[in-house]
Amino acid sequence: MTDAARSAVDVLLVSLGSTAGLRAADAQLVRSLRRAGASIAVASASPPRAARTLALTDLTWALAARAATRSQLQRSEPRAILYSTTTAALLWPRPGAIRFDAAAAANRPGRHGVWQRPLERRRLRQAPLLVPWSGGALDELPAALHTRAHALVVPVAVEPSAQPGAVSTSGPQQREPGRDIAVIAYAANPSKKGIDRVLAAWQAVRREGEELVLAGAEPADLRALGAPCEGGGVRSVGRLDPAEYRALLRRARVFACAPRREDYGIAQLEALADGCQLVTTPAPGPYAALAIARALDARLVGEDLAPALRTALDDPSPDYGVRALGAIAPFGREAVDEVVARELLPRLLG
């Protein structure tokens, strides 16, 4: 296709989309850029076959992102390219800005990142702009790979899924009407999310009539954990569409997680937005919600989830839900739209 036949657009977003969270974050950014007045084209990587190692998985996804970018460049001529994730940028056919929740240097140790890390360093130096989801993601990069002037933090926007109400403030007998689920956990990638530790803590402290709901993974995915994931006050609801999942959050009093590493934590931010108390371990990684959780109620953050779960259920902090909404205000749509319109788009377009 000739240059004249290609359509001119402001930004080409290269969407890796290897997880539901990444796909949702990319779709959200596209909407925000369009609200800022930009014309957008999207190159979506086609999911490759499952691979046996992380190094090979990243290679197949990087190849898919390159193919999608090349295909879209035959149809459109962007003023700027924004690669969503460092993996999408590893084999880029043309340089562009890089958006990421975490770098391979931080979450691909040893043999898991044997080829990704050195190539990633080169791409991060070559990128005209780095767009981390959080300041923590930027802090994990070696200082030699960036300057603050070379980067702009643009969070993933999180909003309440319905008119929010406050969580309970006076104990389990006076909880908010409609909060009939004691605890909910998001179980996608159950090993990384530490669902085995959540289940062990729950079995140690649950009381008759209390239920832990597991969402985001099928029962077959959970059986490998070696912990009971059905019965005994545990119910798995499998993978749900976003609206169904957020409806469950609005019914839950507590969101529990014990990630072995957290690159950002959209699920935790969504839980706070929908009125859940956040019980969590202090996981390594950028983990945007961790500092918020500590500020809201430090009793609910610790290596031992069991007492934190009982504290959240039996002695919830006053006005937790109201304070949580204030704490996540910088992640709201209006706040993110302002960053996109006033800073990101001008810097992308030069």
Side-chain angles (χ1 to χ4, degrees):
M1 184 179 291
T2 65
D3 289 346
R6 289 185 292 174
S7 59
V9 297
D10 291 319
V11 179
L12 169 59
L13 178 72
V14 180
S15 175
L16 193 74
S18 54
T19 68
L22 286 174
R23 292 190 294 273
D26 289 347
Q28 181 190 104
L29 181 60
V30 167
R31 292 191 295 269
S32 187
L33 286 164
R34 285 175 175 156
R35 285 193 292 268
S39 56
I40 309 296
V42 178
S44 298
S46 297
R49 291 183 179 179
R52 298 182 64 180
T53 67
L54 285 175
L56 185 56
T57 295
D58 287 346
L59 176 61
T60 57
W61 275 107
L63 286 168
R66 182 173 67 179
T69 306
R70 284 176 169 170
S71 177
Q72 187 60 49
L73 286 173
Q74 293 178 350
R75 300 189 295 274
S76 59
E77 183 53 43
R79 294 172 61 188
I81 300 178
L82 177 56
Y83 293 92
S84 182
T85 76
T86 59
T87 302
L90 290 177
L91 301 178
W92 66 21
R94 186 187 297 183
I98 303 175
R99 188 186 195 215
F100 58 98
D101 58 348
N107 63 15
R108 293 290 190 267
R111 61 183 176 82
H112 299 296
V114 65
W115 73 272
Q116 304 97 307
R117 292 191 302 270
L119 184 54
E120 178 184 73
R121 289 194 294 270
R122 189 188 317 165
R123 292 293 181 256
L124 292 171
R125 284 192 294 264
Q126 293 170 331
L129 179 66
L130 302 182
V131 190
W133 291 16
S134 66
L138 189 63
D139 292 340
E140 284 193 323
L141 297 182
L145 293 183
H146 71 90
T147 65
R148 290 290 171 176
H150 181 216
L152 175 66
V153 174
V154 180
V156 175
V158 174
E159 296 265 305
S161 60
Q163 185 64 34
V167 295
S168 58
T169 60
S170 304
Q173 302 306 316
Q174 299 180 10
R175 62 179 178 265
E176 178 190 355
R179 298 268 174 186
D180 59 319
I181 296 172
V183 182
I184 190 169
Y186 187 66
N189 197 345
S191 178
K192 184 177 180 181
K193 296 299 182 184
I195 297 302
D196 55 329
R197 299 192 284 188
V198 173
L199 288 167
W202 180 241
Q203 294 302 324
V205 301
R206 71 169 289 264
R207 293 176 182 162
E208 188 67 29
E210 293 178 335
E211 184 178 56
L212 165 66
V213 171
L214 296 174
E218 298 301 330
D221 300 326
L222 298 169
R223 294 189 187 104
L225 296 175
C229 55
E230 287 285 358
V234 178
R235 175 166 58 99
S236 176
V237 295
R239 296 185 181 91
L240 304 173
D241 68 40
E244 291 177 309
Y245 170 67
R246 297 297 294 271
L248 283 180
L249 287 181
R250 296 195 301 273
R251 292 171 52 193
R253 297 161 61 195
V254 174
F255 181 95
C257 60
R260 290 176 166 85
R261 173 185 163 85
E262 189 58 83
D263 293 335
Y264 186 70
I266 292 176
Q268 290 91 319
L269 292 169
E270 289 178 339
L272 290 171
D274 279 338
C276 299
Q277 298 171 91
L278 175 56
V279 171
T280 182
T281 53
Y287 200 175
L290 181 58
I292 296 173
R294 283 191 171 120
L296 290 171
D297 192 341
R299 301 174 301 166
L300 308 188
V301 180
E303 292 295 345
D304 189 354
L305 285 183
L309 283 168
R310 281 272 46 107
T311 297
L313 292 169
D314 297 341
D315 186 25
S317 178
D319 300 323
Y320 187 103
V322 174
R323 293 185 291 113
L325 286 178
I328 66 170
F331 300 88
R333 196 187 88 169
E334 289 187 6
V336 173
D337 276 358
E338 184 171 358
V339 174
V340 168
R342 294 192 177 185
E343 299 185 64
L344 177 60
L345 189 57
R347 292 180 70 171
L348 285 173
L349 302 183

